[in-house]
Amino acid sequence: MGSANKYRVHEVAKDFGIPTKQVTEILTKYAETPKNHMQVLGDKELSVIFEYLTQHHQVSGIQVIFAEGAKPDEKKNAPRSDKPAKNGGKPNGQNNNRQQNQQQNGQQAQQPAKPVSRVPQTKVVDTRKAANVNLDKYDEKLQDMAESRNARAGRNGRRDQQMQGKEKFRNKKRNGPQSNKSKQEEADRMRRLRLEIIKKTPVTVQIPDEISVGELASRMKKTGAEVVKCLMKNGIMASLSQLIDFDTAAIIAEEMGCKVEKEVVVTIEEKLIDDHQDAEEDLVPRAPVVVVMGHVDHGKTSLLDYIRNAHVASGEAGGITQHIGAYQVQIDGKPITFLDTPGHEAFTSMRARGAMVTDIAILVVAADDGIMPQTIESINHAKAAEIPIIVAINKMDRVEANPERIKQQLTEHGLVCEEWGGDTIVCPISAKTGMGIDNLLEMLTLTAEVGELKANPNRMAQGTVIEARLDKGRGPVATLLVQNGTLKQGDIIIAGTSVGRVRAMVSDKGTKINSAGPSVPVEITGLSEAPSAGATFNAVADEKLARELVEQRKAEERAKANAPITKVSLEDLFSQIQAGEMKNLNLIVKADVQGSVEAVKSSLEKISNEEVRVRVIHGGVGAINESDVMLASTSQAIIVGFNVRPDAAARENAARNNVDMRMYRVIYDAINEIEAAMKGMLAPKFREALLGHAEVRQTYKVSGVGTVAGCYVQDGKLQRKDCQVRLVRDGIVIHEGELASLQRFKDQAKEVVAGYECGLTIEKFNDIKEGDIIEAFTMEEIPQ
């Protein structure tokens, strides 16, 4: 419809066969007055007109509409001067022209009840609001029309075809450009609606423990800029890639109208390893696990040999135990699991591990030897593991045995025997003759009963790797102590970074077994590599996940190994010494004269102690330069400067490589500070905050003031208030003092920044020369 795009007032009037004035009146009443008869009407105005006319010109019957439907078609084909029917929407009963009716039927069956030209295609006007139309009658009429059309099809076939052709053509012409345009508008409207709906329903975001700002933005369906802006409002400056914690993210998300849910990240470990707590009714009593500890050569293995009726000690290399042995022994029909730990001082970690997995400790002390260093260490391990200690005083068959002295020594370490009013069980025994051993075992079972040790055998096994080794024929072999659940042959187990299926299980007596319950030690083969001793092992259901987890753990270990080595600094020196990472403290000494280098070197090397040896790996004269920093970085050394300063390149390099540089002017300051650092008592109350450097370009003698230096600020700034200065000439400190005055031209200046020139004087010092560097700094207190 050509006029659909631009439908003017006079065209509407003409199409309806009413005066233009009437259209203008309708618009004035219900919308706004058109400027003139040429004004183009929009959808809204047209709806008003159509609604008005429909309401005011009710149609008597449906035939009238059909009858009128043909008119516009004729009108379009007729010259324009033909006036349309003046009576518009009024009943028009005179059209009984049969041919016209047929023609109308032909069209109408194809396109029922659609007024052809009075209403633009996009508007649907509901006429039922005012008129009570009998719908059944309407449907019936349509039906009749369709039938009559079929009946006449033969007679009017050819004419119908022509009409249909025309109709199709006309439809095409009418729907062409406008339908595209309306589609576009429709799509736009839908998009707007959708956006409004999204705005109204809050987005639910899942936020993990920490999330990057960019990721948060995309989860909230907001732009990064909006989120950053919101963060700024809350006083947090963060870039898109920066990680923020859950609390911050939640506040931001809620502020931006989102619902927040905590995202629970389930790791592979959590999926794989079943670590639920056992219900009380599932628990059954289990055998106690007993660790035998004590000093080397006090008879731990011999005691176990006697209990087991075996002979291990005599077959051990040099007669000392160097592995953890695990044995299960039946005593009065009750099983007890024993762990034999090495007593030699080199096996500290093994002893600690042995104490951690057990329920009771037997401390073996030789009656003739008394309490020795490893005895004390064993006591401490047991105390740390919070397990009861039973003391067995061995070698009572010896002539020089003195149990009373041992009881006395035990009290010094917080173990008071029962006969002296304490709660520590002390049993005198002899592993050689078997004296007192029955009593010891009785005490063991009693202590175990008091402990009420229980476990649930009906679950996947978990426990500890006691020892692991590579066997020539069998590959990796691991001794495991099952602590909960039951380990069966063919189970997939994961221990530390090794994974595999249990191929064969051997008991401590060397017999093959198929399953091992709680407190049973077994030796298994089938792991991919020897796991580290002390690792926990878990039997799992899914081999693929288990291998994934192992890969993940290996990657973590690699990342740890490749992590940049923390450089030494005096502040964390003590913690590194304690962690056993520091055996040597490397120093590089630079001083103003060779004599000082030697003195500082020898003084510092004297402060070595048992844990740390102080080594001066390089000494030299002059300013600290880049090569000193490079050497310090590679050898993890601390640079000690004595009356010298680093040059600019060295300073930058040191900051980049985290090299600790310490400057001293008094030798005992250096010694005290390094000594204190080694003892972990370094109290750096103040530290220097470097302000900037200025180069002296010219000097002036001013009477009554002294020497004024005309300087150019190279970097940072100089400030008037509490500003300390150091005068450096060729890398050597000439003077340290305070800034007396700072001026730009004739005015006092509070501060002068890089790139400007200034005049300054140093308090009580006049020996300033051109080319000197003035280093400005303030002393900052470090919050403890």
Side-chain angles (χ1 to χ4, degrees), residues 433-495:
T433 62
M435 159 214 158
I437 286 182
D438 293 340
N439 178 34
L440 175 68
L441 295 177
E442 210 173 290
M443 291 300 166
L444 262 184
T445 35
L446 277 174
T447 313
E449 276 165 24
V450 171
E452 286 188 343
L453 308 165
K454 290 182 174 180
N456 173 13
N458 306 317
R459 62 179 288 174
M460 300 291 258
Q462 64 190 68
T464 307
V465 178
I466 290 172
E467 199 55 270
R469 64 177 196 277
L470 266 175
D471 187 287
K472 249 188 198 157
R474 294 183 292 168
V477 177
T479 307
L480 308 179
L481 176 68
V482 182
Q483 286 170 300
N484 205 1
T486 302
L487 185 66
K488 300 178 194 69
Q489 198 169 343
D491 278 358
I492 299 150
I493 70 165
I494 181 167

Side-chain angles (χ1 to χ4, degrees), residues 524-730:
I524 63 147
T525 55
L527 286 173
S528 56
E529 56 181 80
S532 52
T536 46
F537 78 85
N538 291 80
V540 295
D542 187 334
E543 187 165 5
K544 189 167 167 249
L545 269 180
R547 293 197 183 280
E548 248 177 75
L549 177 58
V550 164
E551 281 310 310
Q552 193 177 306
R553 283 180 179 172
K554 280 185 181 164
E556 278 168 19
E557 276 189 13
R558 272 198 300 273
K560 254 189 219 156
N562 297 339
I565 304 150
T566 48
K567 293 285 186 284
V568 187
S569 73
L570 278 189
E571 272 84 11
D572 56 11
L573 174 66
F574 181 61
S575 58
Q576 286 191 354
I577 292 169
Q578 273 194 318
E581 291 169 14
M582 289 288 306
K583 294 285 173 278
N584 286 328
L585 170 60
N586 295 336
L587 298 177
I588 291 173
V589 175
K590 290 299 283 268
D592 50 353
V593 290
Q594 186 60 43
S596 299
V597 177
E598 297 301 324
V600 172
K601 205 168 157 180
S602 62
S603 316
L604 291 177
E605 279 179 343
K606 274 187 199 141
I607 60 176
S608 301
N609 57 18
E610 306 87 74
E611 287 140 7
V612 185
R613 188 162 120 249
V614 178
R615 286 170 55 206
V616 176
I617 53 172
H618 173 68
V621 177
I624 296 165
N625 54 31
E626 215 169 343
S627 64
D628 295 330
V629 176
M630 296 301 282
L631 176 60
S633 173
T634 49
S635 58
Q636 291 183 29
I638 295 176
I639 298 177
V640 174
F642 194 69
N643 269 332
V644 291
R645 303 295 303 162
D647 59 27
R651 231 191 350 264
E652 276 168 31
N653 207 331
R656 207 166 43 241
N657 293 318
N658 301 331
V659 172
D660 192 13
M661 297 197 289
R662 296 275 163 158
M663 310 305 153
Y664 303 101
R665 300 207 63 202
V666 184
I667 191 162
Y668 58 77
D669 280 352
I671 294 166
N672 290 351
E673 217 169 86
I674 289 171
E675 214 165 9
M678 281 162 64
K679 290 182 187 147
M681 299 181 306
L682 183 62
K685 291 279 191 303
F686 289 93
R687 71 158 172 235
E688 264 178 40
L690 191 64
L691 290 175
H693 293 85
E695 185 191 357
V696 179
R697 294 269 172 103
Q698 237 175 330
T699 57
Y700 315 93
K701 297 266 194 298
V702 178
S703 54
V705 178
T707 309
V708 175
C711 302
Y712 169 77
V713 185
Q714 291 171 321
D715 60 77
K717 63 176 186 184
L718 268 59
Q719 64 183 37
R720 174 72 199 86
K721 197 166 175 258
D722 50 53
C723 176
Q724 309 263 328
V725 289
R726 207 177 265 126
L727 190 75
V728 182
R729 193 172 298 158
D730 304 324

Side-chain angles (χ1 to χ4, degrees), residues 289-308:
V289 182
V290 181
V291 63
V292 182
M293 305 206 301
H295 192 72
V296 65
D297 254 347
H298 278 200
K300 295 179 296 300
T301 309
S302 307
L303 168 63
L304 278 176
D305 281 353
Y306 186 88
I307 295 171
R308 293 170 51 238

Side-chain angles (χ1 to χ4, degrees), residues 184-348:
Q184 190 72 38
E185 283 170 359
E186 188 71 16
D188 282 352
R189 198 156 61 248
M190 284 305 290
R191 199 163 45 244
R192 272 200 299 278
L193 264 171
R194 213 171 292 129
L195 277 172
E196 264 169 39
I197 290 166
I198 287 172
K199 269 181 196 158
K200 275 176 196 151
T201 54
V203 179
T204 304
V205 277
Q206 294 218 322
I207 304 175
D209 284 336
E210 52 178 16
I211 185 170
S212 72
V213 178
E215 173 65 13
L216 178 65
S218 68
R219 284 188 190 190
M220 295 198 300
K221 302 192 171 38
K222 299 271 194 286
T223 64
E226 287 176 295
V227 179
V228 170
K229 194 168 163 192
C230 192
L231 277 164
M232 280 181 177
K233 264 192 223 154
N234 288 296
I236 296 164
M237 299 296 172
S239 62
L240 286 181
S241 56
Q242 209 161 319
L243 289 173
I244 52 175
D245 59 8
F246 172 79
D247 297 334
T248 313
I251 292 165
I252 297 302
E254 276 165 8
E255 206 166 291
M256 298 183 87
C258 295
K259 273 190 186 155
V260 176
E261 279 177 13
K262 181 93 163 82
E263 182 181 15
V264 181
V265 182
V266 181
T267 59
I268 304 180
E269 214 152 317
E270 283 165 358
K271 272 187 216 160
L272 251 186
I273 295 165
D274 167 26
D275 54 2
H276 71 270
Q277 290 297 316
D278 292 308
E280 194 57 48
E281 60 269 16
D282 297 337
L283 295 174
V284 294
R286 65 173 173 85
V289 182
V290 181
V291 63
V292 182
M293 305 206 301
H295 192 72
V296 65
D297 254 347
H298 278 200
K300 295 179 296 300
T301 309
S302 307
L303 168 63
L304 278 176
D305 281 353
Y306 186 88
I307 295 171
R308 293 170 51 238
N309 298 324
H311 300 283
V312 175
S314 51
E316 281 191 328
I320 72 161
T321 307
Q322 304 194 38
H323 308 286
I324 289 187
Y327 317 104
Q328 192 164 31
V329 182
Q330 297 283 339
I331 287 150
D332 302 333
K334 286 182 183 166
I336 296 182
T337 302
F338 285 99
L339 289 189
D340 184 12
T341 60
H344 194 273
E345 60 182 316
F347 299 100
T348 308

